Structure formats: C-alpha cells, structure tokens
Amino acid sequence: MHDLGGVREIGDSGMNGGMNGGTNSRGAQGGQGAETAAWSRTVVAGWMVALGAVSAVAFVAVAVLAPGLRSVFLILLTASAALLATGAVRVTVTPHGVAVRSVLLPFLQRRIRLSRIRHASARPTRPGELGGWGYRWLPGQTAVSLRAGDALWLELTSGKHFVVTVDDAANAAARVNSSLAAVKE
C-alpha cells in the first residue's frame, strides 16, 4: 500500500474477480506461457470519500431538521453520492480488457473490451489535464482522476482516450499491449 498525500493505493496484482470470471492462471488462453492473470490495483482518494460521507450525513440531518428545505438537501445528497462512488476505484486488467469499478458501489463500473482498445500507454498525469478530480468527460476523452501521478492511457479504436490514474500504470499498459499482440497473432 502506498500513501500519496490523502490518496491510498493498494496493490494486489493477480487477484481473482477480473473480467475473465475470476480466472487467475497462466497458459490457460493464448498459447503456452501466455499471461492470463489479472492485474488489479485499488486507488482511494481519502479526501473524496471523507467529504462524501460527511456531506451526506450533514445533508440528511438538515433535511430531517428543516422539512421546508428537505427536497433541496436531498438533491444535494446526489453530490455526496458522486464523491463516494468515485472516491475509491478498483482498476483491473485481464486478457479481455480493462475494468474500472467503484469500490463502494461496485455495480457502477466502466468496462472496455480489448476489441475496443488500439493501444495502451502510461505517463504522469495531473487532474488539470483530465478536467479535474473524479469521473470526467472531455471532448474525445473520458477519465477517472483521483490524484496526480502515474496514469493508464487507453487509445480506443474510436480515436478517443480513456484515462485512469493508478499506480503501476506501466505494468497495466504492458499487459494490455501484450493481450493486443496475442490477439493479432
């Protein structure tokens, strides 16, 4: 586990539960010696989770204490939910593609099949490049940005990019590119 100034990264390469139904083996697909183990990292922006939790409690308390403003504060509760949903994510790379899923609300996920990926790379990235913190949409680019630093950049076959800030992005990119090369063989 790495502490990056309020952002914790927990490395657990080879964990089950990836997009390939939890397979964690070598050589099961793609020929002898092929890498099929899932690569996975969890990124937690503690300040986003804390702000989401504290604001949710505050908004619910005010909604209960001020019935006339209840609808306003219940609407504001969606901002708290957004912080909680995007403040901690698990990034998983398998031979089938890349998945980014909320740790607190795992049904919220973004899956990118290998067939939609042209190339993967890793590079240092700042939230300002991606439009800020959290789940971001910019023309031609979607990102999950929880901190400055290492990021996995996926160039999609549509010409757009998907970016996620995560530790050990170079290893993730290498695994994606290896899977892409194996498909082309």
Side-chain angles (χ1 to χ4, degrees), residues 33-156:
E35 181 74 37
T36 61
W39 174 97
S40 187
R41 296 289 184 276
T42 299
V43 184
V44 180
W47 69 270
M48 287 177 73
V49 174
L51 182 59
V54 169
S55 63
V57 169
F59 292 153
V60 169
V62 171
V64 168
L65 297 173
L69 298 174
R70 183 170 291 151
S71 60
V72 172
F73 285 100
L74 291 178
I75 291 170
L76 289 174
L77 194 58
T78 60
S80 299
L83 286 168
L84 288 169
T86 60
V89 298
R90 179 185 251 342
V91 181
T92 304
V93 176
T94 72
H96 303 285
V98 177
V100 178
R101 100 178 7 126
S102 170
V103 171
L104 298 175
L105 301 170
F107 60 88
L108 296 177
Q109 65 180 328
R110 172 77 191 266
R111 289 183 147 185
I112 302 171
R113 298 266 174 223
L114 191 63
S115 62
R116 294 187 50 223
I117 302 171
R118 181 175 294 140
H119 179 74
S121 60
R123 69 178 172 92
T125 305
R126 292 175 292 116
E129 291 176 68
L130 304 174
W133 288 266
Y135 198 93
R136 314 308 299 173
W137 293 275
L138 292 172
Q141 179 175 290
T142 306
V144 178
S145 174
L146 298 183
R147 54 140 178 95
D150 217 9
L152 173 63
W153 285 72
L154 301 176
E155 180 185 345
L156 306 179

Side-chain angles (χ1 to χ4, degrees), residues 18-39:
M19 295 186 321
N20 60 353
T23 301
N24 188 7
S25 60
R26 298 187 191 284
Q29 300 172 2
Q32 188 171 348
E35 181 74 37
T36 61
W39 174 97

